[in-house]
Amino acid sequence: MFLVVLLISNALGVSALNCYTCKTTENENDKRCITNPGAVEGNAITNCNKNYCTTVRVEYTDPKDRVQSMSRDCVDKPIYSNQVIEDATYRVYYTSCRADLCNGGTGKDISIGGGMIHSDGVAVVLYVLGLEQSSGLSAGISNVMLFLGINTLLLTRYILL
């Protein structure tokens, strides 16, 4: 009986999501929201009734890697989901995730399905090669996946430049 109730409550979204929630700007002395959100005074872990944990990291494009602001939160629907948006002044990393405390990283490594967008804004697709020789349909599918991965990488790099 307990198992059935637990499964129904999870299916209905009754369980809450734990997210880091904190904000800081370059003008503040306490940078723990950027470097170690779990150590922020006043307990930066929030039990949310929202769908996503988010991170928004704003950096200057010059000088590179200088953080202008950092925000960790929980929201029903993120503004952007796992994207890097850049203009002449700022590079903004938007991350969103749906697991407890999943927004605790640097805010720069962004999951995009089968790959990542790393801190330089370039998408990377990781392929793990098998040990056996493939033939027939599976070899054709592998070749198509590799072709799509390379083209996705090139297209993403072109868009981000």
Side-chain angles (χ1 to χ4, degrees), residues 4 13 18 21-22 29 49-50 60-61 66-67 73-74 79 83 86 88-89 92-93 110 114 124 127 140 153 160:
V4 172
N18 290 311
T21 54
C22 58
N29 291 329
N49 60 350
K50 310 282 184 177
Y60 291 102
T61 53
R66 182 173 156 211
V67 178
D73 205 354
C74 54
I79 298 170
Q83 293 184 22
E86 186 174 342
T89 307
V92 184
Y93 298 86
I110 300 173
V124 176
Y127 289 96
L153 175 63
L160 293 174

Side-chain angles (χ1 to χ4, degrees), residues 53-102:
C53 296
T54 60
T55 303
V56 178
R57 180 183 177 116
V58 180
E59 293 182 352
Y60 291 102
T61 53
D62 188 29
K64 187 177 181 185
D65 295 328
R66 182 173 156 211
V67 178
Q68 190 272 336
S69 65
M70 181 78 148
S71 172
R72 300 175 192 273
D73 205 354
C74 54
V75 299
D76 282 323
K77 185 176 180 189
I79 298 170
Y80 296 103
S81 184
N82 302 327
Q83 293 184 22
V84 178
I85 298 176
E86 186 174 342
D87 63 20
T89 307
Y90 301 106
R91 175 179 284 159
V92 184
Y93 298 86
Y94 295 92
T95 67
S96 61
C97 50
R98 298 179 83 170
D100 283 342
L101 304 178
C102 60

Side-chain angles (χ1 to χ4, degrees), residues 84-147:
V84 178
I85 298 176
E86 186 174 342
D87 63 20
T89 307
Y90 301 106
R91 175 179 284 159
V92 184
Y93 298 86
Y94 295 92
T95 67
S96 61
C97 50
R98 298 179 83 170
D100 283 342
L101 304 178
C102 60
N103 64 336
T106 65
K108 293 176 78 170
D109 290 336
I110 300 173
S111 267
I112 54 166
M116 298 284 285
I117 296 177
H118 290 283
S119 59
D120 60 0
V122 176
V124 176
V125 178
L126 175 65
Y127 289 96
V128 179
L129 301 176
L131 298 174
E132 295 183 23
Q133 187 92 355
S134 295
S135 63
L137 180 61
S138 64
I141 291 172
S142 296
N143 290 337
V144 168
M145 289 176 62
L146 181 59
F147 175 76

